[in-house]
Amino acid sequence: MTFCKHLILASSLLLTSAASMASQIFSSDQADFRLEIVAQGLEHPWSLAFLPDGSSLVTERAGRLRVIRDGQLLDSPVDGLPELVVSGQGGLLDVLLHPDFENNQTLFLSYAHRSREGMTTRVARARLNDGRLSDVEVIFEALPRSNTSRHFAGRMEFDRDGNLYVAVGDRGEMDRAQDNTDDAGGVHRITPAGAPAPGNPFQTASGANDTFFTIGNRNIQGMTAHPETGEIWSHEHGPRGGDEINIIRAGTNYGWPTITYGIDYSGLPITSETEKKGMAQPLHYWDPSIAPSGMAFYTGDLFPQWQGDLFVGALKMRKLVRLSIEGGKVTEEEDLLTDLGERIRDVRMGPDGALWLLTDSPRGKVYRMVPVQ
C-alpha cells in the first residue's frame, strides 16, 4: 500500500512538472514565449526534419529514426536504417530531406560507421515509404578511418543548386584539418547521387579529395542556409573557447588548428596565433566556449520581431542564443532559456512558424517555442 502511494505521488509530481513547464513563460528583449512539449523520452535526439504531411522525423544518436505524428511519438522506429555504430559522440546523426522529397520520398542520413580499419562519418541516401527505408545507398564516406570516437560532425544542408554539404570533424586529431588529402576537418560538397559537385574548389589540387569545399574546420555541429542570400552558414566547436560562426565559402581555409581563439582542454595553448594570411576569420566567436549545436534563421510569422535572427543551441552552457544579423555581421546577442537547464542539441525553423528544439539527454525532448497569447 505504501509503495502504491509513493508511485501515485511520483506520477503526480511528474505530471505537475510537465504542466508547469507547459505554462512557464520565458522572456526575451523582444518577445514573451512559452515552450510546448511535443515529444519526450528520446535517447539523445540529434536532428529533426519536417515531412510534408505534417509529421516529423527525429534521429536518436543511439541508432533509431523516430516519427512524430499528430502530436504523438510513435512507438516503433523506422525500419531499414543503414549499418552504423554507436560510440562516444558517434551514432545516428543528421536527417535531411531531399528538396523534392514530396515527389521522390528521398532523404539523407549521416552517421558513424565502423570497420576493421576504424570509424568514420558516412552519408546514406534512402527512400521513406510506409514507415521503413528502402533503396539505401552509401553515397559518401570520409577517409581515412581512425579509432577515435570524437568529432564526427555530420551536419548537412542543401544549397539552392541542389548540392549537398556534409561536415566532417577532425576526429579529435587536429592536424588532419589542414591536410586536403585527408577527408577529416572540412566541408564536402556532393550531388544527391554522391558525386563531387561541379566546380568544387580543390578538384585540381594534387592528391586532394575533389569533394572538398572547405578545410580547417574542427567540428561543425550547426549548418543552415541563409534565407535571403542562400549562402551556407555554419558553427563549430572550439576547444576551451573559440567556438565559431562562419559563412561556408568555396576553397576557404578556416584555420584550425593553425589559428584559434581557444586553448587546449589541458589549459595549454594550441597556437599563439589567432589570425594568419590565407585563413578566414570567424564571423563571430565565443570565449569561453558555449558548445554550440544546431542553428536556424527565424523566418516565420509567429515572432515578427525575430525575422532574420539566427538562433543557436548550446550544449555546455545549456541555453539558446539569439543573434541579430545586419550586413552579414552580428550586431546583437541575447541568451534565452538559461533557466531551462537543458542541453540544446538542435534548432529548427518549423513550417508552422514556431522554433523547434531538441534537448540532448537520455530522456530528451522535442519542444516548440510559441508566443504567449
Side-chain angles (χ1 to χ4, degrees), residues 7-61:
L7 184 60
I8 292 170
L9 178 60
S11 299
S12 175
L13 288 173
L14 285 172
L15 290 171
T16 300
S17 176
S20 174
M21 176 58 67
S23 63
Q24 187 173 353
I25 295 175
F26 298 88
S27 295
S28 77
D29 292 342
Q30 299 180 354
D32 292 335
F33 61 92
R34 58 187 176 85
L35 294 181
E36 292 181 351
I37 299 175
V38 179
Q40 53 190 329
L42 291 150
E43 188 173 358
H44 295 288
W46 210 91
S47 178
L48 179 68
F50 302 100
L51 296 171
D53 65 2
S55 55
S56 305
L57 296 174
V58 183
T59 60
E60 292 177 292
R61 198 179 71 221

Side-chain angles (χ1 to χ4, degrees), residues 309-330:
D309 287 354
L310 184 65
F311 287 81
V312 175
L315 297 166
K316 178 182 177 183
M317 292 301 185
R318 299 174 183 259
K319 62 185 178 181
L320 180 68
V321 179
R322 182 185 66 84
L323 299 168
S324 293
I325 310 292
E326 293 183 14
K329 296 181 179 180
V330 174

